[in-house]
Amino acid sequence: MMDTNAAGVRPSRKAGGAATLLASALSNQLGAATASFAFPVMGPVGVVAVRQLVAAAVLLPIVRPRLRELSWRQWWPVLLLAVSFGTMNLGLYASVQRIGLGLAVTLEFLGPLAVALISSRRRSSALCAVVAALGVLAITRPESSIDVVGIGLGLIAACSWAAYILLNRTVGQRVQGIQGTAAATGASATLFLPVAVVIFISQPVDGLAVLCAVAAGIFASVLPYVADLIALRRVPANMFGVLMSINPVFAAVIGAVILHQDLAAGQWVGIGLIVAANAGVLLLRERGRGETVVSRTPEPARSNHGPGAVMAPGGVVPGDLER
């Protein structure tokens, strides 16, 4: 009989799931880096519009949400989810344009960290909050030359991500499976469609910029979505959150290597502190209540969209596969 770990997941499956999550994070940040090449032509708004359209074009045919069967009680959180999804991506990309990929993604991760801290009742989580605050201080380096707008946009992305996590809890309780997430993706794409039309009509857009924007949609939405669906069947939910904390590190490295966005030593320290705080609060919370394993078999009445659920940028929440 094959050995299993304490959580009931075979080590080989767990390792494969972990590798898939790391690939998902890498794909997501490569997508954001690719998107930045289209900023001079289309701007962050145009790139986000194309990305949302690509995500909807792939996700809607796969999930096939029954939109006509949704009541207003189900629709309003879906619509708010769509708005928060678009705001999150727009805030992130606008921040990337001003302060670079690594810092923008790190600031964005303050959103799920804040949700996890608020939902945790452990005193030790206060230490994680202090560590995160020190990380923000190291990143922003308060001084006259700081790009306040860029940091503000990153924090808007963080607040939008936090709202996205909380709204996913409501959507998950009211809409079966991942139909709510798919409907929100479609609604977000619909909201951005007029924006895309205006941009394409009002200014010349070259094929390379469009290709970069489409690639961003594939690398930052489609591939992470598929990878997370696969990984969430193989790893515990707490491992999902901890491994997703690698995103700011990947973003900083890719920003430095591909986009030539150099960071000061103190900013690297700040990124490390926020990553450590995020991983720490997730581990402490799981240790306090016992590790929860993501079921490999869908269960119709179960939801894990709690206030502390970690949402991957690709669009999957631990628990989506549990209902």
Side-chain angles (χ1 to χ4, degrees):
M1 183 175 180
M2 185 174 294
D3 293 335
T4 59
N5 59 12
V9 181
R10 290 197 299 271
S12 59
R13 288 182 59 84
K14 195 172 183 179
T20 304
L21 282 177
L22 292 178
S24 170
L26 181 61
S27 176
N28 191 45
Q29 301 314 320
L30 286 173
T34 303
S36 67
F37 291 117
F39 289 166
V41 178
M42 304 173 63
V45 177
V47 174
V48 171
V50 173
R51 171 179 168 173
Q52 303 298 86
L53 291 170
V54 170
V58 173
L59 185 58
L60 290 177
I62 294 176
V63 179
R64 297 180 181 179
R66 300 174 181 176
L67 302 180
R68 294 182 179 180
E69 297 181 7
L70 299 181
S71 65
W72 173 243
R73 182 175 177 273
Q74 295 171 311
W75 261 118
W76 74 257
V78 167
L79 293 176
L80 290 178
L81 190 65
V83 172
S84 65
F85 187 30
T87 305
M88 176 177 67
N89 288 328
L90 185 56
L92 173 63
Y93 281 9
S95 180
V96 169
Q97 187 181 37
R98 300 184 68 97
I99 64 175
L101 183 62
L103 298 187
V105 170
T106 303
L107 290 174
E108 184 194 32
F109 259 76
L110 292 174
L113 173 58
V115 173
L117 284 170
I118 292 172
S119 66
S120 176
R121 291 179 172 82
R122 297 177 64 86
R123 294 182 179 179
S124 51
S125 295
L127 177 61
C128 295
V130 173
V131 171
L134 291 174
V136 173
L137 191 64
I139 285 176
T140 56
R141 299 180 301 170
E143 54 189 42
S144 58
S145 61
I146 192 172
D147 192 328
V148 178
V149 175
I151 290 175
L153 290 167
L155 294 177
I156 288 174
C159 293
S160 299
W161 194 352
Y164 193 68
I165 293 171
L166 297 175
L167 286 167
N168 255 295
R169 180 189 185 189
T170 302
V171 171
Q173 292 171 342
R174 299 183 183 183
V175 184
Q176 182 179 9
I178 58 175
Q179 291 190 57
T181 301
T185 302
S188 181
T190 302
L191 293 173
F192 274 97
L193 181 58
V195 177
V197 172
V198 170
I199 289 176
F200 276 81
I201 292 178
S202 63
Q203 62 187 43
V205 178
D206 60 70
L208 180 60
V210 175
L211 183 61
C212 288
V214 171
I218 294 173
F219 282 108
S221 292
V222 177
L223 292 182
Y225 175 80
V226 174
D228 293 345
L229 283 178
I230 295 172
L232 280 168
R233 297 178 183 273
R234 302 185 177 194
V235 300
N238 70 316
M239 176 181 284
F240 179 97
V242 172
L243 289 177
M244 283 297 97
S245 299
I246 199 67
N247 270 279
V249 177
F250 280 165
V253 172
I254 290 172
V257 174
I258 297 179
L259 305 178
H260 308 292
Q261 298 170 345
D262 295 329
L263 298 175
Q267 291 175 313
W268 280 103
V269 172
I271 291 173
L273 289 173
I274 291 177
V275 169
N278 188 64
V281 71
L282 290 171
L283 290 172
L284 289 171
R285 191 186 65 215
E286 292 297 332
R287 183 177 297 177
R289 68 186 185 188
E291 188 176 60
T292 300
V293 179
V294 176
S295 173
R296 286 161 41 191
T297 303
E299 298 174 7
R302 189 178 175 190
S303 174
N304 198 32
H305 285 176
V310 176
M311 181 72 187
V316 180
V317 183
D320 276 340
L321 300 182
E322 294 189 38
R323 291 187 305 283

